[in-house]
Amino acid sequence: DLYLLWPAACVTWTCGMADDKLRRQRLWKSMQQRGLQKFMQQRPGDFLRRARKGVPSEYRAEVWKTALNAEAHAKPGLYQELQTADNEFLHLIKIDIPRTFPEDPSFDAEQQKCLFRI
């Protein structure tokens, strides 16, 4: 008799998970529309609790930037400056890049240039 109840319980549990996911998506959408930075400053406990429960994938990048206060730490132009700067490791990097994934045909000269820029 208990076995006959199990499928219904699974359906109810699965629906509950789907409902919870939709509820979280609505909460994060609402937070985003109000401004994540503002929400985090005004209600840090709610922000952390919701983040711990899971951030929907469509909001993760923005939430990370907000949580880390990335805009305050941004240094415009730094990447371009570092790309042109010489350092003591450039010659070693140039030696190692062709040895990275040598058996992978998709890691061609263009991909190697991309890796070098990193």
Side-chain angles (χ1 to χ4, degrees), residues 53-64:
K53 287 185 177 182
V55 179
S57 59
E58 61 267 28
Y59 302 109
R60 285 187 189 143
E62 190 175 348
V63 169
W64 269 109

Side-chain angles (χ1 to χ4, degrees), residues 18-91:
D19 290 343
D20 186 52
K21 182 178 179 180
L22 289 173
R23 186 180 65 76
R24 275 186 296 160
Q25 285 177 321
R26 284 194 308 268
L27 286 171
W28 283 100
K29 183 177 183 177
S30 171
M31 289 167 50
Q32 182 194 38
Q33 289 171 340
R34 287 187 261 167
L36 286 172
Q37 187 71 34
K38 182 178 174 183
F39 186 88
M40 189 176 79
Q41 289 171 344
Q42 292 176 345
R43 298 170 59 185
D46 290 338
F47 183 87
L48 288 172
R49 188 181 74 254
R50 290 177 185 178
R52 286 185 188 118
K53 287 185 177 182
V55 179
S57 59
E58 61 267 28
Y59 302 109
R60 285 187 189 143
E62 190 175 348
V63 169
W64 269 109
K65 290 177 192 176
T66 301
L68 296 172
N69 199 12
E71 286 189 24
H73 300 291
K75 295 182 171 101
L78 179 62
Y79 178 74
Q80 289 77 11
E81 181 184 327
L82 292 174
Q83 272 189 310
T84 59
D86 284 337
N87 69 55
E88 60 186 288
F89 302 105
L90 281 179
H91 72 283

